[in-house]
Amino acid sequence: MDNEFVNQDLELAVKRTLVHISGSEDTLKPLYLQPDRAIFLAENLHIILKVYLAGKTLQREYDIAQKAASIGVPIPKMLGFEAGPPAVLAMEQVIGQPLSSRNPFAAKEAGKYLQRFHNIGAHPPFSGGQQQWDAFISWWENEEIEKVRRLDVLDPLQISELQEHFDHLQPLLVQRPIVLLHGDLQTAHILVDPQTEKVLAFLDFADVQPGDPLLDIAVVTLWDHALTDFLLEGYSGIANNEETQQLLSLYRLLRHLGEIPWLLERGFNALAARNITALK
């Protein structure tokens, strides 16, 4: 089955869901296309439709989004979920800008909401099957280092230095708190109103998983380190000390490392190059 056929199949599922929830058709603008998933905007109805072949992923996102809304975390209004296959999740479009350090009040508010989301709670096993956070991080870093070694994007000395840095910080991982992570908390997944400095919505809960709360903070500040102080000011309970900064640095390195093969495999070479430069 080729990619074009799969994408047509996904689009047909989206069209069916759109008619079901709105009673009408609309022009669909593709926002993201991959062989197994896609995101469309119904332009006139202002509806976002996510469609995945892996229905369990979207079902989990729908369930977590409802939990987040129930504790006061702002999310888009959910309009419906159809299990498929393919599975389709429909929600109202939220128009805003990605969170930035230019929005300090919104960043503090985002920190407060993130803490509330984390308090939903989670527990091991982690995605690699481990029961201990330090064991999971060790496994994860070795997996990602092996991928970039095969891709030949770092030289042996750089890989050795990276491994030494991870080994040096490993003792900090032993007693970390475990919460429910967003799992992919890019700034684009926190939309704000730049005029009112209010958080409008947290988006995309497809990658929720247990982990150290600092991992979410490392991801959202990956390209905007100035966001860190504002987020931590809103997120009570995390001391903005040297240990916190060391852990954030470790998790940012891991995020850069993990993004490189993911982006290269999907043809996003320019974005991968940006991560390679940042990693070096």
Side-chain angles (χ1 to χ4, degrees):
M1 182 180 295
D2 60 33
N3 294 353
E4 183 181 358
F5 180 82
V6 174
N7 281 332
Q8 288 175 349
D9 192 37
L10 298 179
E11 187 171 359
L12 285 172
V14 164
K15 288 178 177 179
R16 287 194 298 268
T17 298
L18 185 61
V19 170
H20 183 247
I21 64 172
S22 71
S24 63
E25 297 182 351
D26 195 2
T27 303
L28 291 177
K29 178 182 178 180
L31 303 179
Y32 178 79
L33 290 175
Q34 287 293 316
D36 64 334
R37 65 190 63 186
I39 303 174
F40 294 92
L41 168 64
E43 294 188 278
N44 299 307
L45 295 171
H46 302 291
I47 295 174
I48 298 289
L49 299 112
K50 298 182 70 171
V51 54
Y52 280 44
L53 289 181
K56 288 183 179 179
T57 302
L58 273 190
Q59 177 71 65
R60 180 178 60 183
E61 176 170 0
Y62 181 57
D63 293 343
I64 293 294
Q66 290 180 311
K67 285 184 179 180
S70 73
I71 58 172
V73 176
I75 66 163
K77 181 180 179 181
M78 295 290 143
L79 300 177
F81 172 76
E82 296 190 355
V88 181
L89 175 59
M91 67 195 82
E92 286 187 357
Q93 181 188 21
V94 176
I95 298 175
Q97 293 184 3
L99 182 66
S100 162
S101 57
R102 295 188 299 272
N103 316 120
F105 294 104
K108 293 173 190 176
E109 186 179 48
K112 179 186 71 174
Y113 285 135
L114 181 59
Q115 182 177 16
R116 194 177 295 179
F117 179 81
H118 284 168
N119 285 340
I120 291 173
H123 54 79
F126 302 106
S127 59
Q130 297 79 12
Q131 293 291 329
Q132 302 298 323
W133 181 245
D134 57 325
F136 164 68
I137 292 296
S138 180
W139 169 82
W140 181 21
E141 69 193 36
N142 287 326
E143 288 280 303
E144 300 301 347
I145 285 172
E146 183 56 36
K147 289 177 187 175
V148 298
R149 181 183 283 115
R150 289 198 302 267
L151 291 167
D152 200 27
V153 296
L154 297 177
D155 64 41
L157 178 59
Q158 289 167 334
I159 289 175
S160 177
E161 289 175 343
L162 194 59
Q163 187 68 66
E164 286 178 12
H165 185 66
F166 286 144
D167 291 345
H168 175 69
L169 295 180
Q170 189 75 12
L172 297 180
L173 301 169
V174 176
Q175 298 296 329
R176 296 304 302 160
I178 301 304
V179 301
L180 181 68
L181 296 178
H182 177 281
D184 188 24
L185 198 63
Q186 307 169 46
T187 52
H189 291 159
I190 305 177
L191 296 183
V192 305
D193 182 332
Q195 303 303 318
T196 64
E197 286 266 348
K198 302 296 290 182
V199 175
L200 299 175
F202 279 66
L203 308 177
D204 195 352
F205 300 99
D207 296 301
V208 292
Q209 57 190 287
D212 181 351
L214 285 178
L215 182 55
D216 268 348
I217 294 171
V219 171
V220 76
T221 61
L222 188 68
W223 300 106
D224 188 357
H225 290 194
L227 261 175
T228 310
D229 289 347
F230 301 129
L231 282 164
L232 290 177
E233 191 173 336
Y235 195 118
S236 63
I238 295 181
N240 194 0
N241 56 23
E242 182 180 355
E243 181 175 319
T244 293
Q245 295 302 323
Q246 287 180 313
L247 284 164
L248 287 172
S249 174
L250 182 149
Y251 294 148
R252 287 175 185 139
L253 282 172
L254 262 174
R255 176 71 177 198
H256 285 306
L257 194 63
E259 284 196 358
I260 292 164
W262 192 94
L263 291 166
L264 287 174
E265 288 166 2
R266 290 160 177 80
F268 301 118
N269 293 352
L271 293 175
R274 185 185 183 207
N275 279 278
I276 293 168
T277 300
L279 190 63
K280 289 179 177 178

